[in-house]
Amino acid sequence: MSTLAAPSPSASPTSGPPYDCNPLTISLSRLTPLTISSSSNSLSHLVNRLQNEGYYGGVRLLMAICKVFHNYCNDNKINLHEGNFTLSYDTNIPRQTGLSGSSAIVCAALNCLLDFYKVRHLVKVEVRPNLVLSAEKELGIVAGLQDRVAQVYGGLVYMDFSKKYMDELGHGIYTPMDTSLLPPLHLIYAENPSDSGKVHSTVRQRWLDSDEFIISSMEEVANVALEGRTALLEKDYAKLAGLMNHNFDLRRLMFGEDVLGALNIKMVELARQVGAASKFTGSGGAVVAFCPDGPSQVKLLEDACEKAGFAIQPIKVAPPCLSDIDIKTLSSN
């Protein structure tokens, strides 16, 4: 299967104490023992954080990637030097909007570990999305590789998840693309989401059961990504708009409206009402929209979003985030 993705806004590791919204740091000595301490003196602030993020929030994500990273290095005979470190995090990704906020924190932490232990050249770029996904699976988070690939590579990435590659390599073939090929895109999301589709999806089980409709639909989704890559390379943005709409239509047929959620569907249809193309950014919670008619259409979309109570902002795609060491590693594979 193939997919085309640009990254969501990223979580960033911080060199000093974390921002107030996440007043926890993790200190580890050779990954153990582990202590948690509060960097905020405000009890009410801490209570507010617990109400919004639970008792662990992003801290459990940091703990999970530390475990996964340690085990991977141990299994692959990668020696880690002794020494203490502190991990802290802050994120600007809106919660519960399908923008992969959890994996962004994990990916940022993994980069910190790679640099602290100076093993970036020993952990292949292609396997890092698998490590991020494994950390989330440790916590029972159901996800796939697409967003993790986008966050590891940065920029714009074409992904081929053909069974052949997954079986032989354990990962897909990931091809960075020039971000200047992208037309102007906008992100639409609900600032206070209340309906993200609460009905359990049966699509995964149907796939495992070899449901012909699900398999054929997934193959069509993969083909949409392949066609999307060609449309971008040829700068055929009218074709791209049609493919975006087709992608969502396929998802709607496979999952059903109860699973997708009324609020998510409303965001897509709102964009379509002004002639914009739109699709989910991931599994739901936010929508990426493209206005092929330019600024005047963007203004119509902004007005429609304001009236409906949705947030909208232009998407700024960051350049690829691979280091020189990473690029050398890629070129040697």
Side-chain angles (χ1 to χ4, degrees):
M1 179 177 294
S2 307
T3 187
L4 187 70
S8 57
S10 62
S12 302
T14 59
S15 57
Y19 292 95
D20 287 343
C21 62
N22 296 295
L24 294 176
T25 62
I26 299 181
S27 299
L28 305 94
S29 175
R30 298 181 65 186
L31 302 186
T32 57
L34 181 146
T35 59
I36 299 178
S37 59
S38 173
S39 62
S40 172
N41 294 322
S42 171
L43 182 61
S44 61
H45 186 90
L46 180 58
V47 170
N48 181 64
R49 178 189 178 281
L50 292 175
Q51 289 174 335
N52 289 328
E53 300 185 31
Y55 283 94
Y56 294 97
V59 174
R60 63 181 187 146
L61 299 168
L62 302 183
M63 290 189 282
I65 189 58
C66 284
K67 175 185 176 182
V68 167
F69 173 77
H70 176 271
N71 290 345
Y72 176 85
C73 291
N74 186 60
D75 292 342
N76 290 274
K77 305 298 187 292
I78 298 174
N79 294 323
L80 301 178
H81 65 73
E82 296 186 7
N84 299 327
F85 64 84
T86 297
L87 278 176
S88 59
Y89 78 94
D90 179 57
T91 179
N92 62 356
I93 301 175
R95 284 176 49 79
Q96 296 180 332
T97 53
L99 294 174
S100 301
S102 294
S103 60
I105 293 171
V106 177
C107 185
L110 175 60
N111 281 322
C112 290
L113 293 169
L114 292 171
D115 290 334
F116 178 78
Y117 285 107
K118 297 181 173 59
V119 295
R120 187 172 284 274
H121 63 295
L122 298 176
V123 182
K124 294 200 309 181
V125 178
E126 294 92 333
V127 306
R128 293 177 198 169
N130 296 55
L131 298 180
V132 175
L133 183 60
S134 294
E136 294 182 90
K137 286 183 176 179
E138 283 276 324
L139 305 173
I141 297 174
V142 178
L145 282 169
Q146 291 96 324
D147 293 341
R148 287 106 202 122
V149 172
Q151 288 164 340
V152 166
Y153 282 75
L156 177 67
V157 188
Y158 174 74
M159 311 171 202
D160 189 335
F161 294 105
S162 297
K163 188 176 186 299
K164 173 184 176 183
Y165 299 135
M166 297 300 294
D167 289 344
E168 293 179 1
L169 305 174
H171 57 75
I173 298 298
Y174 312 132
T175 307
M177 297 178 64
D178 186 349
T179 58
S180 68
L181 293 171
L182 286 169
L185 301 171
H186 285 75
L187 179 72
I188 304 172
Y189 63 95
E191 294 186 282
N192 297 295
S194 59
D195 172 22
S196 57
K198 299 179 175 61
V199 178
H200 178 68
S201 170
T202 61
V203 169
R204 178 178 175 79
Q205 188 57 51
R206 290 169 66 189
W207 167 271
L208 294 174
D209 293 339
S210 300
D211 183 296
E212 291 185 6
F213 172 72
I214 296 300
I215 291 176
S216 63
S217 297
M218 288 293 188
E219 290 173 349
E220 193 169 353
V221 169
N223 191 57
V224 165
L226 180 60
E227 292 186 52
R229 179 178 185 236
T230 301
L232 283 175
L233 291 173
E234 296 177 352
K235 296 189 176 182
D236 186 348
Y237 297 127
K239 178 69 176 296
L240 180 68
L243 291 170
M244 289 175 64
N245 285 331
H246 187 42
N247 175 277
F248 176 77
D249 292 341
L250 288 169
R251 175 177 287 272
R252 194 173 193 170
L253 287 172
M254 284 188 290
F255 287 85
E257 296 191 357
D258 289 340
V259 172
L260 298 188
L263 187 66
N264 292 324
I265 294 173
K266 182 178 180 181
M267 285 188 284
V268 171
E269 292 184 338
L270 183 74
R272 291 187 177 186
Q273 285 172 7
V274 301
S278 57
K279 64 179 292 295
F280 283 179
T281 58
S283 58
V287 165
V288 59
F290 167 46
C291 295
D293 294 340
S296 61
Q297 193 174 41
V298 171
K299 182 62 168 60
L300 290 175
L301 181 59
E302 289 174 340
D303 292 344
C305 286
E306 181 180 1
K307 184 177 180 180
F310 295 132
I312 179 172
Q313 55 182 290
I315 294 176
K316 298 178 181 179
V317 180
C321 56
L322 298 178
S323 68
D324 291 339
I325 295 175
D326 295 331
I327 294 172
K328 289 180 181 178
T329 302
L330 282 173
S331 60
S332 64
N333 292 336

